[in-house]
Amino acid sequence: MTRTDTPPAWDERTQLTTFLAYVRATARAKCEGLSDEDARKAHLPGSPLMTLSGLINHLRWVEYFWFRVVFLGEEDQGPWTEEDPDREMRIAVDIPLSRLLTEYAEEAARHDELVAAHDLDTRAQQKRQDGSAVDLRWILLHLIEETARHNGHLDILRELTDGSTGD
């Protein structure tokens, strides 16, 4: 897949889905050529869960949560618990990076189908604490923002791991 932020059409849906695909592809690109050992390194003493593996697994499960739990209203089957709310990042160091990347790509493909099948104005099944429900457009924007923010973390961790920099 070619990584681009230029949409093939200029309608809102295509722009949003193109940017989400772009930031997802950027996250995967930050992991190219890494060993499992390097992907598991926690370089920041104050953030022991901040690893490339942990961030990829987090991104996968964040998409799952927003699309399947919040939007569709499915039961939450995520790895987190009340006692360990960041468990998806903790368990990632025990999973090969290639598997994490595959699972992230598979989850993204399922979500792309879901997005294609719903209007952007469709409201989420799960309500927020104030009783309101976000729409699919908001979820896409939120995931673009969150993935882009974590791409900055991935960029820093990759540079600390092996000196690699780039977009």
Side-chain angles (χ1 to χ4, degrees):
M1 171 186 177
T2 303
R3 192 166 56 102
T4 181
D5 63 355
T6 305
W10 295 102
D11 62 285
E12 182 182 23
R13 175 183 297 277
T14 304
Q15 290 182 55
L16 290 170
T17 57
T18 297
F19 264 97
L20 183 56
Y22 175 73
V23 294
R24 285 171 174 160
T26 301
R28 288 189 301 274
K30 297 296 175 188
C31 298
E32 287 177 1
L34 279 178
S35 68
D36 288 337
E37 181 182 343
D38 283 342
R40 295 173 177 145
K41 288 181 180 174
H43 295 283
L44 307 172
S47 299
L49 299 180
M50 186 73 70
T51 66
L52 287 126
S53 291
L55 285 168
I56 293 298
N57 205 36
H58 173 71
L59 290 172
R60 177 261 172 124
W61 284 106
V62 163
E63 283 204 23
Y64 159 84
F65 179 79
W66 281 103
F67 283 125
R68 308 238 317 261
V69 177
V70 175
F71 186 71
L72 294 178
E74 294 179 4
E75 184 179 339
D76 188 353
Q77 300 292 320
W80 38 72
T81 65
E82 283 191 32
E83 299 78 34
D84 192 359
D86 298 316
R87 186 168 177 263
E88 79 279 9
M89 296 182 81
R90 189 177 320 286
I91 64 173
V93 297
D94 296 325
I95 303 169
L97 179 60
S98 60
R99 180 174 145 201
L100 294 171
L101 291 167
T102 297
E103 289 174 357
Y104 182 36
E106 290 170 352
E107 198 75 28
R110 279 192 291 277
H111 300 147
D112 288 347
E113 290 175 12
L114 181 149
V115 169
H118 291 85
D119 187 272
L120 295 176
D121 292 324
T122 304
R123 295 287 174 170
Q125 295 295 310
Q126 187 178 95
K127 304 277 192 255
R128 296 163 53 114
Q129 288 183 340
D130 67 2
S132 66
V134 298
D135 60 17
L136 181 57
R137 173 185 296 102
W138 186 94
I139 290 171
L140 287 167
L141 286 166
H142 174 68
L143 290 171
I144 291 164
E145 173 273 325
E146 177 146 355
T147 306
R149 182 168 38 90
H150 287 312
N151 279 346
H153 299 133
L154 289 165
D155 207 21
I156 291 166
L157 293 174
R158 182 62 190 256
E159 185 172 353
L160 290 170
T161 298
D162 65 5
S164 294
T165 61
D167 59 356

